[in-house]
Amino acid sequence: MLKTNNNQSKDLRGALEWLKSEGLLLETDVEVNPDLEITALEKHLDGSLPMLFNNVKNYPHLRAVTNLFGNTSVMNKMFGWENDTERTKDISYALTHPLPPIEIDQDEAPVQEFVITDDLDVNKWLLAIKHTPLEDEFTIGSGQSVVVGKYFKEGSHVGYNRMSFRWGNVGTFQAAPGSHMWQLQVEHYNKPEGIPITMCFGIPPAANLMAGSGFDYVILPKGCDELGIAGALQGEPLRIVKCRTVDAYALADAEVVLEGYLKPKDRRWETTEAEKQGLQGKAWFHPEWAGYQGKAYKTSTFHVTAITMRKPESKPIIFPLGVHTMDDSNIDTTVREAAIYELCERLQPGIVQDVSIPYCFTDWGGCVIQVKKRSIIEEGWQRNFLTAIMSCNQGMRIAIAIDTDVDINSMEDIMWAVTTRVNPKTDIISPVPGGIGQTFMPAERMTAGEKDWTASNTRFEGGMAIDATIPFGYEEDFHRPTYAVDKVLIKNFFSDEQIKKGESFMSGWVKILSKTGQ
């Protein structure tokens, strides 16, 4: 049963107010420059508290928040989850118990308090940023595409897509090959006027989490209700509103919305340098989730017909974030972990105990599943899970199965299990060689040779599925020793100050092992 969420609000503003009331928000009135400063400050406090900037250079009508999902403990508290495992199981339940969004009238929608149809220079109204010194141009990656109804098999979609508005109201629109927005463009490629959609900014936190779920389309296929799942996560339906200029819907409680047409046939270069080179995947772009500097491509375009927002005097809030940060990682992995858990549960219930995607596995690059074999008959299911996960998650390069005596949140404990429990000849499998991969992985780009680094020219190596579990019946041969830390109390021998000083010199794996006695 899904836990009722009483903490996070139903829009971004309310969530920030709650964070502030809990002492979990860093707020500043010092002017921040979108040119490198926002992402650099986020990286300074990577994995820490959300940051709200009330004074953004060149954008007096906007505020900016970042690091909103940077810390999992803060995120769990925001949604009312006791721990990471409860979060994964809670979201897994929501995947099959959505609360469909409800439509409200245009005059009730906060995001349509101010409507612009004439001055459509997007970079004037929307916060564009530079991530790193290597980038020549400002880009917008803080928006979520929203599609509701006939263009998504009567379901609803929400997801991230990066854009570069080099032509006023026309910007590039990057959709990863195989993604929902890629599927939509393939189906409606020849639609002459384009596909009516919205790009929503500053959306409710639950919708933001759903926007990060990508390439888990066995569980979230075209036609599913992603906005409904977000509604289940926040405890009540999201609100949507009909657009002013196109036949589409927007999130009514967003801060800013771009209405317009996605045109797959009108393809343009993401940067001036890429256009000069005439080469795909060579000119610098903002960093990508794999942890490498991104490259620019020739993409579809989005033609804006209207900009709607909350009243400018209320200073709408945009959520820009660095890529390959904990903020980005948690957005991209939280629902994905639950989808992998749900996949395993559908194959054979009760065996998988938890799923984790460590930061170093780079969002879509891998996962760890924790299993509990209840009888000899269940030996082998962990391998079925691993191969299914890698087949159903495009481009996944590594998946590891571990036992319940291994801490799924400790990479050192996981690597200890890999080191001591894996037979390299029988326990490492490459499930999908030659299949579809992820072009943003440089190792896959290498397979293109001298050709453009595009999905059509690259080949997936197949990834690694690693069974690091103990064969059923041999548990005593792999028994971990446990020292009597629960019986011998350190406080009986040393003062609190001495204990604190001693523990201050401990770091890494030893801190985990000292707690369990292993």
Side-chain angles (χ1 to χ4, degrees), residues 53-229:
F53 302 97
N54 292 320
N55 187 2
V56 183
K57 184 176 181 179
N58 299 326
Y59 294 94
H61 61 289
L62 296 177
R63 290 175 285 168
V65 65
T66 195
N67 236 24
L68 183 63
F69 296 99
N71 184 279
T72 52
S73 295
V74 173
M75 178 176 68
N76 288 346
K77 188 174 183 180
M78 192 190 311
F79 283 87
W81 295 312
E82 293 294 328
N83 51 55
D84 295 346
T85 303
E86 181 180 85
R87 181 188 70 233
T88 297
K89 294 181 178 180
D90 219 29
I91 298 175
S92 174
Y93 182 88
L95 293 174
T96 55
H97 297 78
L99 296 178
I102 57 174
E103 182 180 353
I104 65 171
D105 292 337
Q106 292 176 333
D107 58 2
E108 296 178 13
V111 80
Q112 292 189 359
E113 291 171 343
F114 189 71
V115 179
I116 306 165
T117 57
D118 50 358
D119 182 8
L120 296 178
D121 182 354
V122 173
N123 287 333
K124 170 185 174 181
W125 294 103
L126 260 179
L127 177 58
I129 68 172
K130 283 185 185 177
H131 294 241
T132 68
L134 282 176
E135 299 155 47
D136 295 325
E137 301 181 25
F138 289 83
T139 56
I140 296 174
S142 51
Q144 291 83 25
S145 54
V146 171
V147 183
V148 178
K150 63 182 179 180
Y151 289 100
F152 199 65
K153 294 182 68 174
E154 303 306 325
S156 69
H157 154 83
V158 58
Y160 274 92
N161 296 96
R162 73 189 196 192
M163 298 181 293
S164 179
F165 281 90
R166 299 176 55 209
W167 307 274
N169 74 316
V170 178
T172 57
F173 183 96
Q174 176 66 266
S179 66
H180 276 164
M181 291 307 293
W182 180 275
Q183 296 168 21
L184 184 147
Q185 291 183 84
V186 168
E187 182 178 356
H188 302 286
Y189 184 76
N190 292 313
K191 192 173 177 62
E193 70 273 25
I195 306 160
I197 68 166
T198 59
M199 293 297 298
C200 301
F201 298 79
I203 66 177
N208 217 128
L209 274 187
M210 281 307 303
S213 61
F215 300 105
D216 35 26
Y217 302 137
V218 169
I219 303 302
L220 292 169
K222 186 178 180 182
C224 71
D225 188 2
E226 292 186 332
L227 296 182
I229 297 166

Side-chain angles (χ1 to χ4, degrees), residues 351 353 370-373 402-408 421:
I351 299 175
Q353 304 299 303
Q370 189 177 60
V371 300
K372 182 177 182 179
K373 306 168 193 173
I402 59 171
D403 295 294
T404 53
D405 68 333
V406 178
D407 187 337
I408 196 171
R421 297 180 181 181

